[in-house]
Amino acid sequence: MDSKEEGKNQTGINKYACACAAVASMISIIFGYDTGVMSGAMLFIKEDLKVNDTQVSVLAGILNVCALVGSLAAGRTSDFLGRRYTIVLASIIFLVGSVLMGYAPNYAVLLTGRCTAGIGVGYALMIAPVYSAEISSPKSRGFLTSLPELGISTGILSGYLANYFMAELPLKLGWRLMLGIAAVPSLGLAIGILKMPESPRWLVMQGRLGDAEKILLRVSNTREEAEIRYRDIKIAAGIDEDCNEDVVKPPSNTHGGGVWKELLLRPTPAVRWMLLATIGIHFFEHATGIEAVMLFSPRILKKAGVTSKDKLLLATVGVGITKLTFMALSTLLIDRVGRRPLLLTSTTGMIVALTGLGFGLTMVEHAKERLFWALNLSLVATYTFVAFFNIGVAPVTWVYPAEIFPLKLRAQGASIGVAVNRGTNAAISISFIPIYKAITIGGAFFMFAGISVVAWIFFYFLLPETKGKPLEEMEMLFTRGGRSKSKNAGIEAQPVG
């Protein structure tokens, strides 16, 4: 039965699957909180620990450097331990990092805590979308797989609010409480996720067919839908579709062995295209400047003319509200509109907003008197950029790689994308201050606008539409033989390799 027939069996989003994806997304809320709260905490850390701009840049970027390591390890770990226990591991690692940051008597301990938390982040960013994608039906996969990104937006706003309300605490206590309090939800998640089911696709790869079938019955809307998904998963795993045993001998390489060779050394043309699409979308998510805006928004707004610390933090809360609002909207649109339209519309808006922000900041920087119109333009452009980024690029970046790889390659293929994501994020975090000092802050955002143009071209030619496609049919979509099925709005995806 094809994907259209399967869709007819679905009456909506399965509540149990939605609850499972929501719980898994809590790890993203914790990460988002850390990102948001650090943007304001750095103002107080710099004052308390007497660190310079270089040390601030390293502190901002070290989380993503360490997340790169975590994400590369997460793929193999999740193939070995399972998706659920990998989320538990990510929560425990992040808990340890939060405790260290909350205690931090000096810069070295703070840096160690942030790096430890970064390893947990790397695990979380890989496993949450993969888990959500693997328990979802094709009709609701975009919505459920984008919940981790919605969680990040929720967490960032929570971090901004924590900055604002804890700003009046004593200097030595305030920023430590901001960072350390994340240990509480990390512990709660580590315990709560144990009540959630394992990914049925991972269970099939381990030969545990009976357990997988029971879970599919719970996360599907009808028995017929569950049977179709169960059959397709067995075929994808190399198991006879008519096999009715509860436990069978697992297929080869069920713990991730040999996967790197199939991904990097001897990939098929379809897998090569998937890998290129994954690396590209993760690279452009951060190369277009979102980390510069989210992490350094107080500094950007200060350059634009907002000088009061309270007003800076309040304006940053506005950035967080904008991010959350448009991220929530995108989760409702991604399965209706599709991945490509959201992605291309989002990138177009980002190009316009970044150009406006670059122009506004350039005028403010070179003006001899205060230009209120340039200040307003910079503020509007900042909010517009955040809005367009979160309506398309933000959710699709995490949904797309989690759904395109074959079952055996999915976890480690997604982990490569997350490693690129964190590496790019770290590069922007660490280099943004030196870049804007070298080419001016306005010039930095003109640079991001130019990168966004390249991103739009990449998305247009190399990312076919995946809306409504079962995970087991993705390989056909990324082959020459499946090209006719990858048309979107009259545009045919071009093969690579």
Side-chain angles (χ1 to χ4, degrees):
M1 186 177 291
D2 62 22
S3 60
K4 290 183 179 178
E5 290 174 317
E6 182 176 321
K8 292 178 182 177
N9 294 324
Q10 298 170 358
T11 57
I13 298 174
N14 180 278
K15 293 181 180 179
Y16 185 64
C18 187
C20 294
V23 172
S25 299
M26 282 184 60
I27 189 69
S28 300
I29 296 177
I30 299 167
F31 162 58
Y33 172 83
D34 180 81
T35 300
V37 82
M38 182 55 77
S39 68
M42 285 192 296
L43 298 174
F44 305 104
I45 290 169
K46 187 173 183 180
E47 182 180 349
D48 184 22
L49 300 183
K50 305 296 187 292
V51 294
N52 56 39
D53 276 348
T54 300
Q55 290 173 305
V56 169
S57 295
V58 171
L59 183 64
I62 193 67
L63 180 136
N64 292 301
V65 172
C66 296
L68 188 156
V69 176
S71 63
L72 287 174
R76 185 67 181 269
T77 303
S78 69
D79 281 341
F80 185 79
L81 294 180
R83 313 318 193 205
R84 185 176 57 158
Y85 285 111
T86 302
I87 296 175
V88 173
L89 180 61
S91 302
I92 293 172
I93 295 172
F94 197 91
L95 184 154
V96 172
S98 298
V99 170
L100 285 173
M101 288 190 289
Y103 162 71
N106 52 51
Y107 180 76
V109 175
L110 177 61
L111 201 64
T112 301
R114 189 139 172 87
C115 182
T116 303
I119 295 173
V121 166
Y123 273 86
L125 291 178
M126 189 290 295
I127 195 58
V130 168
Y131 177 82
S132 299
E134 290 190 343
I135 65 169
S136 308
S137 65
K139 190 176 182 180
S140 61
R141 189 175 61 242
F143 172 74
L144 295 184
T145 310
S146 63
L147 287 181
E149 186 65 22
L150 180 62
I152 292 174
S153 300
T154 304
I156 287 174
L157 177 58
S158 301
Y160 288 161
L161 290 171
N163 283 335
Y164 184 73
F165 289 111
M166 295 185 189
E168 301 303 319
L169 292 174
L171 180 62
K172 292 186 178 298
L173 172 64
W175 66 266
R176 290 181 172 87
L177 185 60
M178 292 175 188
L179 298 175
I181 201 171
V184 178
S186 297
L187 178 61
L189 176 60
I191 297 171
I193 196 65
L194 294 175
K195 297 184 179 296
M196 297 296 102
E198 182 52 84
S199 159
R201 287 176 167 86
W202 183 81
L203 290 171
V204 169
M205 289 294 292
Q206 309 311 306
R208 296 165 57 184
L209 304 186
D211 292 338
E213 186 176 19
K214 290 175 184 176
I215 292 172
L216 282 169
L217 287 170
R218 298 187 69 185
V219 299
S220 301
N221 287 311
T222 65
R223 175 173 287 275
E224 186 178 3
E225 177 197 327
E227 290 173 352
I228 293 168
R229 294 173 65 183
Y230 183 47
R231 182 202 66 194
D232 289 345
I233 294 169
K234 285 193 291 185
I235 293 172
I239 298 172
D240 186 351
E241 64 178 288
D242 296 321
C243 178
N244 293 318
E245 301 292 330
D246 285 344
V247 179
V248 299
K249 183 179 179 181
S252 60
N253 294 335
T254 60
H255 296 309
V259 169
W260 289 109
K261 291 181 180 179
E262 292 187 47
L263 278 171
L264 301 176
L265 301 181
R266 294 191 299 271
T268 64
V271 170
R272 188 182 302 119
W273 186 1
M274 293 172 184
L275 191 59
L276 177 61
T278 295
I279 290 173
I281 195 170
H282 274 294
F283 170 78
F284 284 118
E285 183 189 30
H286 289 289
T288 49
I290 187 61
E291 190 69 10
V293 172
M294 300 309 297
L295 196 56
F296 295 102
S297 52
R299 192 179 289 246
I300 294 167
L301 294 171
K302 189 173 183 179
K303 286 283 185 179
V306 182
T307 54
S308 164
K309 186 176 289 186
D310 284 345
K311 289 181 179 179
L312 279 174
L313 294 176
L314 195 58
T316 303
V317 170
V319 172
I321 292 173
T322 303
K323 179 176 176 63
L324 178 60
T325 301
F326 282 86
M327 187 65 229
L329 178 61
S330 74
T331 63
L332 302 177
L333 294 176
I334 194 166
D335 283 319
R336 298 179 184 180
V337 177
R339 285 51 158 165
R340 272 177 62 91
L342 282 183
L343 199 57
L344 296 175
T345 301
S346 170
T347 311
T348 301
M350 288 163 55
I351 293 168
V352 175
L354 286 167
T355 303
L357 181 56
F359 178 72
L361 290 171
T362 299
M363 294 305 296
V364 167
E365 195 164 26
H366 289 87
K368 295 182 180 179
E369 58 185 25
R370 195 171 186 183
L371 299 177
F372 286 99
W373 68 265
L375 167 61
N376 291 330
L377 174 62
S378 299
L379 288 172
V380 170
T382 298
Y383 290 132
T384 302
F385 170 69
V386 172
F388 272 103
F389 175 84
N390 285 282
I391 200 70
V393 170
V396 176
T397 294
W398 297 98
V399 171
Y400 204 84
E403 65 184 1
I404 61 175
F405 286 101
L407 177 57
K408 186 170 67 172
L409 308 180
R410 185 170 301 132
Q412 296 191 48
S415 75
I416 292 175
V418 175
V420 172
N421 186 286
R422 295 298 92 190
T424 310
N425 193 318
I428 297 298
S429 301
I430 293 172
S431 65
F432 178 66
I433 293 177
I435 286 174
Y436 87 63
K437 286 184 175 179
I439 65 174
T440 75
I441 193 164
F445 284 100
F446 281 130
M447 178 189 73
F448 289 136
I451 295 173
S452 298
V453 172
V454 178
W456 192 97
I457 296 170
F458 180 90
F459 299 153
Y460 183 84
F461 286 106
L462 293 175
L463 272 65
E465 182 58 73
T466 58
K467 182 184 75 169
K469 294 285 184 183
L471 295 179
E472 287 68 36
E473 290 185 10
M474 291 297 175
E475 195 162 4
M476 183 174 63
L477 183 66
F478 282 83
T479 60
R480 282 182 167 85
R483 288 198 314 176
S484 61
K485 297 185 179 182
S486 64
K487 293 182 180 179
N488 182 71
I491 303 299
E492 184 174 328
Q494 301 298 312
V496 175

